[in-house]
Amino acid sequence: MIFLAFRHIFARPKQSLLTLLGVSLGTTAFITFAAIMTGFQTFIIDQLVNNDAYVKISAKEKMVSEKDLNESLFKEKNHVFWLTSPSGRQESAKINYPLGWFHKLDKDTRVLAYSPLIGAMVLYIKGGISLSGKLQGVDPVNQAKVTNIASYMVQGDYQSLAGGGNRIIIGIGLATKLGAKLKDTILISVGKSDPIPFKLSGIYKTGIVNLDDTVGYAHLRDVQSALSRPSEITDIAIRLTAVEDSQAFAAEYSEFTDEKVQSWDQSNASILSVFSLQDFIRTFITVAIMIVASFGIYNILNILVNQKRKDIGILRSFGYDPSEIQNLFMIQGLFLGISGGLIGLVLGFVMSLYLSTLKISGMTDNMRINFSPKLYLMGIGMAIAASVISSYLPARSAGKLNPIDIVRSGE
Amino acid sequence: MIKVDNVKKSFGEPPIEILHGITFEIPDKSFVSITGKSGSGKSTLLYSMSTLDHPTSGSVYFDGVEISSMNEKEVHEFRNLKMGFIFQFHYLLPELSALENVLMPARRTGQHIARRKRAVDLLTEFGIEEKLDRLPRQLSGGEQQRVAIARSLIQEPKYIFADEPTGNLDSANGEIVMNWLKKATRDSNTTVIYVTHDPDFAALADQKILLKDGRLEI
Ligand SMILES: Nc1ncnc2c1ncn2[C@@H]1O[C@H](COP(=O)(O)OP(=O)(O)O)[C@@H](O)[C@H]1O
Ligand SMILES: [Mg+2]
């Protein structure tokens, strides 16, 4: 039947080519979309994972409760009635007994490095401009092991923080907004006391606006004294040897502590949920394209089966059986689907190659394009699935045609 | 030998009986005509005998084997190896050349290479050796019907069923076709059963079946 199937295909080059083109374009679109989107997502996830810790232990903010006050204030009384319940933060959040954590992390073989942090919301002030943002006090040596921040420096040197002495590194967005240049002095207000001067010793750029526009880094001790919270820390950033262990690690540590232990994906849940929306839209578009391509095959085959009733009748009269007739049309649908899919893969690959040479405005790097074979397998898999599904019905109806009806009806 | 035993055939709902109990035998190597007025049931009888259609009741035996006792696979093999069909309209596959059309039944069992010489011989005998590679639309009606006859002969079938094989041809071409059919089967073991309107062609037969309103007329 392959012989006759190919004769049918080549006897109608225009129709066949059109169908082929439909499937090719569908597959090309799928590959290109998916390559861009997953490439972008991998890039962002890469950034998220490497800019922040794999796992972060953060102090939990403790709220004042009736019980806390009852115990400390009215110990001997049995019943205390509050007209207005006490509320508000108990104190600035901090990690209790950080040394205990350090010991534990030192012993855990999954941990590659960890770094204590103190974070606070501050105002960055320069000239007449004041911008709110986050100041992170870091241990520069360990922080560089935990995140890739050191590799994102565009001006100055990350390790300049190591000496202490109120030096600061800020993101490029923040620097631009403040109009700050290297070696400028930036005032930092933590609310209670007078603003404290820090000297700008470096500018970094991660490509993530959220960080680049708001976050500054200074030495742990400098920030602790600026906040008047000596030797307190609010977070411990941890890098593991394997990023895949993050979730399990975070879950395990959460078990025995009140502090918040979050893996990188939990901290970035909102961004990741945007990704799943993107994935959904991509799947939706792809399915829509494939349905259109399937309809192409379905239509062509249906028309063909109708045009070929006489041929089917005559083939049946010399002994070809229903399954052979069904194959005659299945082969055509599958051939068009598979070869269309393969052409689509090639075109998709060429598109991807081209796209990977383009720069996105605002990013220093070229576009990240996913070239993973998995994508191409999915692409051809979809083309095959679409052609099997859309060929089956017309082919089966051809197999079921009764030869006597065709032969008798004459035309 | 073919044995047709009390074959009845009805169509529709409520059923209208078209063949009212037909019984006859055809010995091997016969050249048999079926004649009768239009609508007398000639085609119905031919197809009911030939496995393409089923009698409503009654039996058809080929060499003692009843058709209805064969399974699907056996029926398809039987059609492929033992039977040839010729229809009023030539029914060639339009994408295939004359030679490829002739070889199409043999292709089912992969015999198309082994049978190629026979196909060329048949087409040569039918006077179209120059046109082996032409598509059906590049052949005249008479040539197309000769290709169809060659195709029905390619498997050296034991039985050939022809429904008005000359019905679509002018009398000159019809005569050529009938003579070829007779000649091609004369020296073989083949039985030919053909429906015809034409008394001249009916006269070529060694056994004549005459139908009138679905009954045999002796
Ligand atoms: N599939 C069918 N359904 C209903 N009636 C049919 C069918 N096939 C044939 N007939 C009827 O059976 C009768 C005999 O038809 P047919 O065998 O084709 O006659 P012939 O070949 O002798 O001209 C006609 O009246 C025709 O209308
Ligand atoms: Mg008829």
Side-chain angles (χ1 to χ4, degrees), chain A residues 366-406:
Chain A
N366 287 346
M367 261 166 95
R368 299 292 176 103
I369 300 295
N370 188 355
F371 285 101
S372 131
K374 207 178 117 196
L375 216 60
Y376 290 78
L377 279 178
M378 269 173 73
I380 192 72
M382 277 185 3
I384 293 174
S387 50
V388 169
I389 293 169
S390 55
S391 310
Y392 179 70
L393 287 179
R396 201 185 57 159
S397 75
K400 280 187 167 170
L401 286 177
N402 192 352
I404 185 66
D405 295 339
I406 301 167

mmCIF file of all heavy atoms in Angstrom, chain A residues 366-406:
data_model
loop_
_atom_site.group_PDB
_atom_site.id
_atom_site.type_symbol
_atom_site.label_atom_id
_atom_site.label_comp_id
_atom_site.label_asym_id
_atom_site.label_seq_id
_atom_site.Cartn_x
_atom_site.Cartn_y
_atom_site.Cartn_z
ATOM 1 N N ASN A 366 22.887 37.966 24.681
ATOM 2 C CA ASN A 366 21.973 37.588 23.622
ATOM 3 C C ASN A 366 20.769 36.892 24.239
ATOM 4 O O ASN A 366 20.798 36.477 25.393
ATOM 5 C CB ASN A 366 22.645 36.617 22.659
ATOM 6 C CG ASN A 366 23.665 37.325 21.799
ATOM 7 O OD1 ASN A 366 23.672 38.551 21.745
ATOM 8 N ND2 ASN A 366 24.510 36.553 21.154
ATOM 9 N N MET A 367 19.729 36.736 23.428
ATOM 10 C CA MET A 367 18.567 36.010 23.901
ATOM 11 C C MET A 367 18.953 34.593 24.271
ATOM 12 O O MET A 367 19.734 33.957 23.573
ATOM 13 C CB MET A 367 17.510 35.954 22.802
ATOM 14 C CG MET A 367 16.443 36.985 22.976
ATOM 15 S SD MET A 367 15.483 37.126 21.494
ATOM 16 C CE MET A 367 14.145 36.033 21.885
ATOM 17 N N ARG A 368 18.395 34.117 25.369
ATOM 18 C CA ARG A 368 18.637 32.720 25.742
ATOM 19 C C ARG A 368 17.628 31.859 25.004
ATOM 20 O O ARG A 368 16.431 32.076 25.122
ATOM 21 C CB ARG A 368 18.436 32.515 27.240
ATOM 22 C CG ARG A 368 19.355 33.310 28.096
ATOM 23 C CD ARG A 368 20.790 32.812 27.957
ATOM 24 N NE ARG A 368 21.663 33.685 28.728
ATOM 25 C CZ ARG A 368 22.157 33.362 29.911
ATOM 26 N NH1 ARG A 368 21.894 32.204 30.446
ATOM 27 N NH2 ARG A 368 22.916 34.218 30.575
ATOM 28 N N ILE A 369 18.130 30.927 24.243
ATOM 29 C CA ILE A 369 17.254 30.051 23.470
ATOM 30 C C ILE A 369 17.500 28.624 23.920
ATOM 31 O O ILE A 369 18.635 28.194 24.068
ATOM 32 C CB ILE A 369 17.546 30.181 21.958
ATOM 33 C CG1 ILE A 369 17.325 31.621 21.493
ATOM 34 C CG2 ILE A 369 16.683 29.222 21.167
ATOM 35 C CD1 ILE A 369 15.911 32.107 21.586
ATOM 36 N N ASN A 370 16.417 27.903 24.120
ATOM 37 C CA ASN A 370 16.531 26.521 24.554
ATOM 38 C C ASN A 370 16.724 25.611 23.342
ATOM 39 O O ASN A 370 15.882 25.564 22.444
ATOM 40 C CB ASN A 370 15.258 26.144 25.310
ATOM 41 C CG ASN A 370 15.361 24.786 25.957
ATOM 42 O OD1 ASN A 370 16.350 24.085 25.755
ATOM 43 N ND2 ASN A 370 14.357 24.418 26.727
ATOM 44 N N PHE A 371 17.838 24.897 23.312
ATOM 45 C CA PHE A 371 18.087 23.959 22.198
ATOM 46 C C PHE A 371 17.967 22.513 22.651
ATOM 47 O O PHE A 371 18.465 21.611 21.993
ATOM 48 C CB PHE A 371 19.480 24.192 21.608
ATOM 49 C CG PHE A 371 19.576 25.426 20.760
ATOM 50 C CD1 PHE A 371 20.135 26.585 21.246
ATOM 51 C CD2 PHE A 371 19.074 25.423 19.466
ATOM 52 C CE1 PHE A 371 20.211 27.723 20.465
ATOM 53 C CE2 PHE A 371 19.150 26.554 18.677
ATOM 54 C CZ PHE A 371 19.717 27.709 19.181
ATOM 55 N N SER A 372 17.297 22.305 23.775
ATOM 56 C CA SER A 372 17.280 20.955 24.345
ATOM 57 C C SER A 372 16.586 19.960 23.411
ATOM 58 O O SER A 372 15.532 20.252 22.842
ATOM 59 C CB SER A 372 16.578 20.996 25.704
ATOM 60 O OG SER A 372 15.614 19.996 25.776
ATOM 61 N N PRO A 373 17.174 18.769 23.247
ATOM 62 C CA PRO A 373 16.578 17.744 22.380
ATOM 63 C C PRO A 373 15.162 17.377 22.816
ATOM 64 O O PRO A 373 14.338 16.974 22.003
ATOM 65 C CB PRO A 373 17.500 16.533 22.550
ATOM 66 C CG PRO A 373 18.744 17.054 23.167
ATOM 67 C CD PRO A 373 18.416 18.320 23.887
ATOM 68 N N LYS A 374 14.907 17.536 24.098
ATOM 69 C CA LYS A 374 13.574 17.213 24.626
ATOM 70 C C LYS A 374 12.496 17.993 23.878
ATOM 71 O O LYS A 374 11.442 17.468 23.545
ATOM 72 C CB LYS A 374 13.532 17.553 26.117
ATOM 73 C CG LYS A 374 12.534 16.725 26.906
ATOM 74 C CD LYS A 374 12.594 17.078 28.376
ATOM 75 C CE LYS A 374 11.275 17.658 28.827
ATOM 76 N NZ LYS A 374 11.374 18.359 30.105
ATOM 77 N N LEU A 375 12.826 19.258 23.614
ATOM 78 C CA LEU A 375 11.894 20.143 22.916
ATOM 79 C C LEU A 375 11.589 19.595 21.525
ATOM 80 O O LEU A 375 10.449 19.585 21.070
ATOM 81 C CB LEU A 375 12.583 21.491 22.774
ATOM 82 C CG LEU A 375 11.737 22.727 22.894
ATOM 83 C CD1 LEU A 375 11.087 22.768 24.249
ATOM 84 C CD2 LEU A 375 12.637 23.942 22.713
ATOM 85 N N TYR A 376 12.657 19.118 20.860
ATOM 86 C CA TYR A 376 12.501 18.636 19.487
ATOM 87 C C TYR A 376 11.743 17.315 19.474
ATOM 88 O O TYR A 376 10.939 17.061 18.586
ATOM 89 C CB TYR A 376 13.876 18.534 18.812
ATOM 90 C CG TYR A 376 14.458 19.910 18.554
ATOM 91 C CD1 TYR A 376 15.039 20.637 19.574
ATOM 92 C CD2 TYR A 376 14.363 20.487 17.294
ATOM 93 C CE1 TYR A 376 15.532 21.917 19.354
ATOM 94 C CE2 TYR A 376 14.850 21.756 17.052
ATOM 95 C CZ TYR A 376 15.435 22.469 18.087
ATOM 96 O OH TYR A 376 15.898 23.732 17.865
ATOM 97 N N LEU A 377 12.005 16.491 20.497
ATOM 98 C CA LEU A 377 11.251 15.244 20.615
ATOM 99 C C LEU A 377 9.769 15.549 20.804
ATOM 100 O O LEU A 377 8.908 14.916 20.186
ATOM 101 C CB LEU A 377 11.764 14.420 21.799
ATOM 102 C CG LEU A 377 13.022 13.608 21.514
ATOM 103 C CD1 LEU A 377 13.474 12.858 22.759
ATOM 104 C CD2 LEU A 377 12.747 12.625 20.376
ATOM 105 N N MET A 378 9.490 16.539 21.665
ATOM 106 C CA MET A 378 8.096 16.911 21.888
ATOM 107 C C MET A 378 7.465 17.407 20.603
ATOM 108 O O MET A 378 6.331 17.071 20.280
ATOM 109 C CB MET A 378 8.005 18.006 22.953
ATOM 110 C CG MET A 378 7.840 17.474 24.344
ATOM 111 S SD MET A 378 7.946 18.828 25.543
ATOM 112 C CE MET A 378 6.371 19.634 25.254
ATOM 113 N N GLY A 379 8.218 18.219 19.858
ATOM 114 C CA GLY A 379 7.709 18.782 18.607
ATOM 115 C C GLY A 379 7.321 17.686 17.624
ATOM 116 O O GLY A 379 6.193 17.662 17.122
ATOM 117 N N ILE A 380 8.214 16.754 17.407
ATOM 118 C CA ILE A 380 7.923 15.695 16.426
ATOM 119 C C ILE A 380 6.843 14.779 17.002
ATOM 120 O O ILE A 380 5.972 14.303 16.276
ATOM 121 C CB ILE A 380 9.203 14.911 16.023
ATOM 122 C CG1 ILE A 380 8.940 14.028 14.811
ATOM 123 C CG2 ILE A 380 9.733 14.059 17.164
ATOM 124 C CD1 ILE A 380 8.781 14.801 13.539
ATOM 125 N N GLY A 381 6.877 14.573 18.300
ATOM 126 C CA GLY A 381 5.843 13.754 18.950
ATOM 127 C C GLY A 381 4.464 14.338 18.713
ATOM 128 O O GLY A 381 3.526 13.600 18.380
ATOM 129 N N MET A 382 4.366 15.650 18.829
ATOM 130 C CA MET A 382 3.065 16.282 18.621
ATOM 131 C C MET A 382 2.619 16.169 17.183
ATOM 132 O O MET A 382 1.448 15.932 16.902
ATOM 133 C CB MET A 382 3.140 17.751 19.017
ATOM 134 C CG MET A 382 2.963 17.924 20.497
ATOM 135 S SD MET A 382 2.905 19.638 20.974
ATOM 136 C CE MET A 382 3.008 20.439 19.429
ATOM 137 N N ALA A 383 3.575 16.365 16.262
ATOM 138 C CA ALA A 383 3.222 16.261 14.845
ATOM 139 C C ALA A 383 2.720 14.848 14.536
ATOM 140 O O ALA A 383 1.723 14.667 13.829
ATOM 141 C CB ALA A 383 4.423 16.601 13.971
ATOM 142 N N ILE A 384 3.397 13.850 15.103
ATOM 143 C CA ILE A 384 2.981 12.467 14.857
ATOM 144 C C ILE A 384 1.611 12.221 15.475
ATOM 145 O O ILE A 384 0.706 11.679 14.828
ATOM 146 C CB ILE A 384 4.019 11.473 15.419
ATOM 147 C CG1 ILE A 384 5.320 11.578 14.616
ATOM 148 C CG2 ILE A 384 3.483 10.046 15.361
ATOM 149 C CD1 ILE A 384 6.457 10.748 15.167
ATOM 150 N N ALA A 385 1.449 12.652 16.723
ATOM 151 C CA ALA A 385 0.168 12.441 17.393
ATOM 152 C C ALA A 385 -0.959 13.101 16.607
ATOM 153 O O ALA A 385 -1.995 12.480 16.343
ATOM 154 C CB ALA A 385 0.219 12.997 18.807
ATOM 155 N N ALA A 386 -0.727 14.345 16.179
ATOM 156 C CA ALA A 386 -1.765 15.063 15.438
ATOM 157 C C ALA A 386 -2.108 14.326 14.150
ATOM 158 O O ALA A 386 -3.284 14.189 13.792
ATOM 159 C CB ALA A 386 -1.305 16.485 15.130
ATOM 160 N N SER A 387 -1.090 13.794 13.461
ATOM 161 C CA SER A 387 -1.392 13.155 12.180
ATOM 162 C C SER A 387 -2.045 11.790 12.376
ATOM 163 O O SER A 387 -2.905 11.411 11.597
ATOM 164 C CB SER A 387 -0.148 13.056 11.297
ATOM 165 O OG SER A 387 0.926 12.504 11.999
ATOM 166 N N VAL A 388 -1.668 11.080 13.442
ATOM 167 C CA VAL A 388 -2.328 9.793 13.704
ATOM 168 C C VAL A 388 -3.808 10.030 13.987
ATOM 169 O O VAL A 388 -4.686 9.395 13.391
ATOM 170 C CB VAL A 388 -1.686 9.063 14.909
ATOM 171 C CG1 VAL A 388 -2.545 7.878 15.324
ATOM 172 C CG2 VAL A 388 -0.294 8.587 14.555
ATOM 173 N N ILE A 389 -4.059 10.988 14.882
ATOM 174 C CA ILE A 389 -5.446 11.238 15.278
ATOM 175 C C ILE A 389 -6.271 11.699 14.090
ATOM 176 O O ILE A 389 -7.376 11.218 13.854
ATOM 177 C CB ILE A 389 -5.492 12.285 16.407
ATOM 178 C CG1 ILE A 389 -4.857 11.702 17.669
ATOM 179 C CG2 ILE A 389 -6.931 12.710 16.689
ATOM 180 C CD1 ILE A 389 -4.603 12.721 18.745
ATOM 181 N N SER A 390 -5.702 12.625 13.295
ATOM 182 C CA SER A 390 -6.513 13.192 12.218
ATOM 183 C C SER A 390 -6.615 12.258 11.013
ATOM 184 O O SER A 390 -7.526 12.379 10.214
ATOM 185 C CB SER A 390 -5.957 14.544 11.791
ATOM 186 O OG SER A 390 -4.600 14.401 11.447
ATOM 187 N N SER A 391 -5.689 11.307 10.877
ATOM 188 C CA SER A 391 -5.775 10.374 9.747
ATOM 189 C C SER A 391 -6.718 9.217 10.060
ATOM 190 O O SER A 391 -7.299 8.621 9.160
ATOM 191 C CB SER A 391 -4.410 9.767 9.421
ATOM 192 O OG SER A 391 -3.437 10.752 9.307
ATOM 193 N N TYR A 392 -6.827 8.914 11.352
ATOM 194 C CA TYR A 392 -7.494 7.666 11.716
ATOM 195 C C TYR A 392 -8.943 7.626 11.222
ATOM 196 O O TYR A 392 -9.346 6.658 10.586
ATOM 197 C CB TYR A 392 -7.419 7.445 13.225
ATOM 198 C CG TYR A 392 -8.110 6.179 13.653
ATOM 199 C CD1 TYR A 392 -7.562 4.942 13.324
ATOM 200 C CD2 TYR A 392 -9.321 6.217 14.325
ATOM 201 C CE1 TYR A 392 -8.197 3.772 13.676
ATOM 202 C CE2 TYR A 392 -9.963 5.047 14.681
ATOM 203 C CZ TYR A 392 -9.401 3.830 14.355
ATOM 204 O OH TYR A 392 -10.050 2.680 14.694
ATOM 205 N N LEU A 393 -9.702 8.694 11.503
ATOM 206 C CA LEU A 393 -11.131 8.647 11.163
ATOM 207 C C LEU A 393 -11.383 8.505 9.659
ATOM 208 O O LEU A 393 -12.107 7.591 9.243
ATOM 209 C CB LEU A 393 -11.850 9.867 11.723
ATOM 210 C CG LEU A 393 -12.033 9.849 13.238
ATOM 211 C CD1 LEU A 393 -12.737 11.112 13.706
ATOM 212 C CD2 LEU A 393 -12.819 8.618 13.674
ATOM 213 N N PRO A 394 -10.782 9.373 8.824
ATOM 214 C CA PRO A 394 -11.008 9.201 7.386
ATOM 215 C C PRO A 394 -10.530 7.831 6.894
ATOM 216 O O PRO A 394 -11.202 7.192 6.088
ATOM 217 C CB PRO A 394 -10.171 10.309 6.746
ATOM 218 C CG PRO A 394 -9.920 11.289 7.818
ATOM 219 C CD PRO A 394 -9.942 10.542 9.105
ATOM 220 N N ALA A 395 -9.376 7.387 7.404
ATOM 221 C CA ALA A 395 -8.827 6.110 6.943
ATOM 222 C C ALA A 395 -9.756 4.967 7.329
ATOM 223 O O ALA A 395 -10.008 4.057 6.541
ATOM 224 C CB ALA A 395 -7.440 5.889 7.543
ATOM 225 N N ARG A 396 -10.284 5.041 8.548
ATOM 226 C CA ARG A 396 -11.163 3.969 8.977
ATOM 227 C C ARG A 396 -12.445 3.960 8.151
ATOM 228 O O ARG A 396 -12.948 2.915 7.766
ATOM 229 C CB ARG A 396 -11.489 4.100 10.463
ATOM 230 C CG ARG A 396 -11.960 2.790 11.046
ATOM 231 C CD ARG A 396 -12.378 2.966 12.465
ATOM 232 N NE ARG A 396 -13.412 3.989 12.584
ATOM 233 C CZ ARG A 396 -14.240 4.082 13.615
ATOM 234 N NH1 ARG A 396 -14.142 3.237 14.612
ATOM 235 N NH2 ARG A 396 -15.151 5.030 13.654
ATOM 236 N N SER A 397 -12.963 5.158 7.847
ATOM 237 C CA SER A 397 -14.190 5.200 7.056
ATOM 238 C C SER A 397 -13.922 4.629 5.663
ATOM 239 O O SER A 397 -14.790 3.978 5.080
ATOM 240 C CB SER A 397 -14.737 6.624 6.984
ATOM 241 O OG SER A 397 -13.965 7.399 6.100
ATOM 242 N N ALA A 398 -12.702 4.847 5.139
ATOM 243 C CA ALA A 398 -12.354 4.273 3.838
ATOM 244 C C ALA A 398 -12.349 2.748 3.923
ATOM 245 O O ALA A 398 -12.857 2.058 3.039
ATOM 246 C CB ALA A 398 -10.991 4.773 3.389
ATOM 247 N N GLY A 399 -11.780 2.221 5.019
ATOM 248 C CA GLY A 399 -11.715 0.778 5.194
ATOM 249 C C GLY A 399 -13.098 0.148 5.293
ATOM 250 O O GLY A 399 -13.306 -0.992 4.891
ATOM 251 N N LYS A 400 -14.029 0.928 5.825
ATOM 252 C CA LYS A 400 -15.371 0.377 6.054
ATOM 253 C C LYS A 400 -16.276 0.445 4.831
ATOM 254 O O LYS A 400 -17.365 -0.113 4.849
ATOM 255 C CB LYS A 400 -16.050 1.148 7.196
ATOM 256 C CG LYS A 400 -15.596 0.697 8.568
ATOM 257 C CD LYS A 400 -16.436 1.382 9.626
ATOM 258 C CE LYS A 400 -16.240 0.752 10.988
ATOM 259 N NZ LYS A 400 -16.883 1.578 12.020
ATOM 260 N N LEU A 401 -15.834 1.157 3.781
ATOM 261 C CA LEU A 401 -16.686 1.269 2.594
ATOM 262 C C LEU A 401 -16.973 -0.120 2.037
ATOM 263 O O LEU A 401 -16.107 -0.980 1.983
ATOM 264 C CB LEU A 401 -16.000 2.115 1.522
ATOM 265 C CG LEU A 401 -15.953 3.622 1.777
ATOM 266 C CD1 LEU A 401 -15.184 4.310 0.658
ATOM 267 C CD2 LEU A 401 -17.358 4.186 1.881
ATOM 268 N N ASN A 402 -18.214 -0.285 1.621
ATOM 269 C CA ASN A 402 -18.628 -1.576 1.098
ATOM 270 C C ASN A 402 -18.404 -1.597 -0.411
ATOM 271 O O ASN A 402 -18.978 -0.782 -1.128
ATOM 272 C CB ASN A 402 -20.111 -1.760 1.437
ATOM 273 C CG ASN A 402 -20.544 -3.189 1.186
ATOM 274 O OD1 ASN A 402 -19.782 -3.987 0.635
ATOM 275 N ND2 ASN A 402 -21.761 -3.499 1.574
ATOM 276 N N PRO A 403 -17.564 -2.521 -0.899
ATOM 277 C CA PRO A 403 -17.212 -2.474 -2.326
ATOM 278 C C PRO A 403 -18.426 -2.609 -3.233
ATOM 279 O O PRO A 403 -18.477 -1.972 -4.283
ATOM 280 C CB PRO A 403 -16.255 -3.654 -2.492
ATOM 281 C CG PRO A 403 -16.466 -4.523 -1.303
ATOM 282 C CD PRO A 403 -16.915 -3.623 -0.203
ATOM 283 N N ILE A 404 -19.387 -3.405 -2.821
ATOM 284 C CA ILE A 404 -20.512 -3.643 -3.722
ATOM 285 C C ILE A 404 -21.296 -2.357 -3.984
ATOM 286 O O ILE A 404 -21.710 -2.083 -5.100
ATOM 287 C CB ILE A 404 -21.443 -4.768 -3.175
ATOM 288 C CG1 ILE A 404 -22.545 -5.087 -4.181
ATOM 289 C CG2 ILE A 404 -22.059 -4.396 -1.848
ATOM 290 C CD1 ILE A 404 -22.041 -5.684 -5.455
ATOM 291 N N ASP A 405 -21.440 -1.520 -2.936
ATOM 292 C CA ASP A 405 -22.155 -0.250 -3.115
ATOM 293 C C ASP A 405 -21.454 0.619 -4.143
ATOM 294 O O ASP A 405 -22.094 1.263 -4.976
ATOM 295 C CB ASP A 405 -22.237 0.517 -1.789
ATOM 296 C CG ASP A 405 -23.072 -0.234 -0.770
ATOM 297 O OD1 ASP A 405 -23.875 -1.094 -1.198
ATOM 298 O OD2 ASP A 405 -22.912 0.025 0.436
ATOM 299 N N ILE A 406 -20.130 0.637 -4.057
ATOM 300 C CA ILE A 406 -19.352 1.483 -4.960
ATOM 301 C C ILE A 406 -19.436 0.947 -6.383
ATOM 302 O O ILE A 406 -19.721 1.668 -7.334
ATOM 303 C CB ILE A 406 -17.878 1.522 -4.515
ATOM 304 C CG1 ILE A 406 -17.782 2.056 -3.090
ATOM 305 C CG2 ILE A 406 -17.053 2.352 -5.466
ATOM 306 C CD1 ILE A 406 -16.435 1.838 -2.455
#
